[in-house]
Amino acid sequence: MRLSVIGCGYLGAVHAAAMAHIGHDVIGVDVDDSKIEVLSRGDAPLFEPRLKEMLQAGIASGNLRFTTDISNARGAAVHFVGVGTPQRADGYAADLTYVDAAFDALVPHLSPGDVVAGKSTVPVGTATRLAPTVSSTGATLVWNPEFLREGWAVQDTIDPDRLVVGVPTDLSGERAADVLREVYHPAVALGTPFLVTDYATAELVKVAANAFLATKISFINAMAEIAEVTGADVTQLADAIGHDVRIGRRFLGAGIGFGGGCLPKDIRAFAARAEELGRGESVAFLREVDAINLRRRDRAVDLVIAALGGSVFKKNVTVLGAAFKPHSDDVRDSPALDVAVRLRGLGAWVTVTDPQAIANAERLHPQLDFVADRDEALRGADVVVVVTEWDEYRRDLAPEHAASLVSSPVIVDGRNCLDASAWRAAGWTYHGMGRP
Ligand code: UDX
């Protein structure tokens, strides 16, 4: 099928490449010349496993092209819109500027029978607002939220847990759902659940999923706070409750909490939208979820201060990690980088290393010292802080080797990802989060 993908950021670039991979003829459109130039060369503008190979294969096969000229979207059977919906500068709500601009630009190029599939994470009610302009051209709007996780984005797009399509409640909706079934045929044929809903449900599925995940993380971090005053170990607690299949162990990793381009802004936008709808109290707990999450960053900083005997001023602090999570070079709202910046603000000499995210982190925070080589970063440290659980630190860094590099063998494990007893046995003073 001929498809267009409007917006070639994280979501759009991966979606375009993955759709070409499964055999569609795809044109990616973005207003950013430099992004289009990079993608047209077959380079990935972000670190995402398998993306570069997939872009190059798509371009070589002729199935995948990129352009800044949206009129080239003409003739596609389905137009996916995957532009960003960041947090507004003046509040918690989502900024819909890019969504509205994308629809304004696309609508003049639509033909009767086209399907427009919104993928961006939007406040509930957005599809209903946009539908009349789309249907005035004879095209149909559906909302088809994306659940991809960074680091697994290619896999999550090709082989998703579920496909959700919100459609209008008339005949055009049924037809549009069939068109989307055809787009996702390989996954549908493998039995991937394909759920057809109304617009509001589809929009809510996305924010509800992210709100649930954020709540799960903040729940265990709240337990970490209680563990800290009682001497309990939150990692053992998570293991124990995680054996209950109704609870499950995943997303019960206590530590410095969640960040990234989705969870923080999505729960805030959801709370803001609920307020607008007169139902603020229904998701008031999301404010607590956010507050618990942000407190964990303070806690990590306090642990470093305490580990250094009360002050970090002019102490050498080595921070292992900058990305908001491993397998990503994304530093948007990264708890890791936030902890590093706060320590620098308190007068520490902060050296940050990360296997992928240094370029992005340095652009945002040039006041920090960035060192690509892990061992060089560790040399002379008065305290080491693990803030992103990359395998390079969690699995590959031997505590004996690390001890031979630092000035003082003191470590704060902001992700509870190290084997505390192995580090202690190698002479380290180990501090976890919510662990004695
Ligand atoms: C998230 C959702 O998982 C995905 O479905 C949605 O489409 C986009 O938002 P992503 O932002 O890629 O994906 O990251 P995710 O893997 O969910 O992790 C989010 C944050 O939570 C990271 O900072 C991670 O370190 C943190 N986290 C995760 C924890 O602190 N503890 C955990 O147990 C799990």
Side-chain angles (χ1 to χ4, degrees), residues 12 87 167 192 204 288 352:
Q87 186 177 325
V167 302
T192 304
L204 275 173
E288 280 308 313
V352 180

Side-chain angles (χ1 to χ4, degrees), residues 10 121 146-152 156 161-162 206 209-210 213-214 216-218 220-221 249-264 266 293 297 323-326 328 330 332-336 387-389 414-415:
Y10 217 104
T121 303
E146 192 63 66
F147 306 104
L148 56 82
R149 299 160 297 165
E150 294 190 19
W152 307 93
D156 286 349
D161 290 338
R162 76 291 207 189
K206 172 62 194 251
N210 277 353
L213 294 172
K216 203 169 173 191
I217 298 169
S218 278
I220 201 66
N221 278 328
R249 180 62 172 83
R250 294 176 72 186
F251 273 69
L252 287 182
I256 57 169
F258 60 81
C262 289
L263 259 42
D266 286 353
N293 190 54
R297 303 177 186 189
F324 83 104
K325 68 172 194 182
S328 170
D330 198 341
R332 286 177 293 169
D333 202 348
S334 169
V387 280
T388 314
E389 67 277 34
R415 291 293 185 181

Side-chain angles (χ1 to χ4, degrees), residues 21-379:
H21 172 78
I22 62 174
H24 297 300
D25 179 12
V26 183
I27 179 115
V29 185
D30 200 288
V31 291
D32 181 341
D33 298 311
S34 58
K35 200 177 278 173
I36 290 301
E37 202 223 312
V38 169
L39 287 164
S40 299
R41 281 201 310 264
D43 270 338
L46 41 101
F47 171 76
E48 187 62 47
R50 288 173 67 193
L51 178 58
K52 191 170 170 155
E53 295 86 308
M54 210 171 256
L55 285 168
Q56 290 181 346
I59 291 167
S61 71
N63 270 358
L64 180 59
R65 285 159 302 131
F66 291 97
T67 179
T68 52
D69 180 359
I70 199 162
S71 70
N72 289 317
R74 249 175 219 276
V78 183
H79 307 271
F80 289 100
V81 179
V83 294
T85 51
Q87 186 177 325
R88 284 173 64 115
D90 61 355
Y92 276 179
D95 179 354
L96 294 178
T97 314
Y98 304 108
V99 172
D100 289 341
F103 274 83
D104 287 347
L106 176 64
V107 163
H109 304 291
L110 295 175
S111 306
D114 285 6
V115 174
V116 178
K119 291 199 82 64
S120 306
T121 303
V122 290
V124 56
T126 304
T128 301
R129 174 171 68 78
L130 295 169
T133 349
V134 173
S135 48
S136 70
T137 67
T140 304
L141 177 65
V142 302
W143 216 265
N144 171 218
E146 192 63 66
F147 306 104
L148 56 82
R149 299 160 297 165
E150 294 190 19
W152 307 93
V154 169
Q155 186 190 317
D156 286 349
T157 307
I158 294 172
D159 183 18
D161 290 338
R162 76 291 207 189
L163 288 155
V164 176
V165 185
V167 302
T169 47
D170 56 25
L171 264 184
S172 74
E174 269 176 45
R175 191 196 143 266
D178 286 341
V179 173
L180 270 266
R181 257 189 211 98
E182 202 181 326
V183 170
Y184 294 117
H185 175 261
V188 174
L190 285 173
T192 304
F194 188 94
L195 305 161
V196 180
T197 68
D198 52 45
Y199 285 151
T201 307
E203 290 164 328
L204 275 173
V205 167
K206 172 62 194 251
V207 286
N210 277 353
F212 191 87
L213 294 172
T215 303
K216 203 169 173 191
I217 298 169
S218 278
F219 174 83
I220 201 66
N221 278 328
M223 296 305 107
E225 292 185 334
I226 304 297
E228 274 151 14
V229 292
T230 54
D233 184 329
V234 75
T235 60
Q236 289 182 340
L237 172 76
D239 289 343
I241 63 172
H243 283 300
D244 183 332
V245 289
R246 295 169 303 174
I247 297 174
R249 180 62 172 83
R250 294 176 72 186
F251 273 69
L252 287 182
I256 57 169
F258 60 81
C262 289
L263 259 42
K265 68 126 175 129
D266 286 353
I267 61 166
R268 290 172 194 155
F270 191 12
R273 183 65 185 136
E275 294 275 353
E276 285 170 12
L277 294 166
R279 282 287 178 276
E281 71 274 24
S282 303
V283 292
F285 66 91
L286 290 178
R287 303 270 188 221
E288 280 308 313
V289 165
D290 200 5
I292 293 165
N293 190 54
L294 295 176
R295 281 206 298 270
R296 299 315 286 162
R297 303 177 186 189
D298 300 337
R299 172 68 185 167
V301 170
D302 289 347
L303 277 174
V304 175
I305 295 171
L308 286 171
S311 169
V312 299
F313 191 66
K314 291 193 175 172
K315 293 286 174 61
N316 293 315
V317 180
T318 295
V319 175
L320 299 181
F324 83 104
K325 68 172 194 182
H327 312 289
S328 170
D329 65 354
D330 198 341
V331 296
R332 286 177 293 169
D333 202 348
S334 169
L337 205 47
D338 196 12
V339 167
V341 167
R342 290 186 201 200
L343 290 166
R344 179 72 195 94
L346 293 171
W349 302 124
V350 178
T351 303
V352 180
T353 186
D354 189 284
Q356 293 295 339
I358 288 183
N360 286 341
E362 195 159 22
R363 218 169 295 129
L364 276 184
H365 295 293
Q367 76 274 33
L368 302 173
D369 256 338
F370 292 94
V371 172
D373 184 75
R374 183 197 68 194
D375 286 3
E376 196 187 322
L378 285 169
R379 219 173 288 280

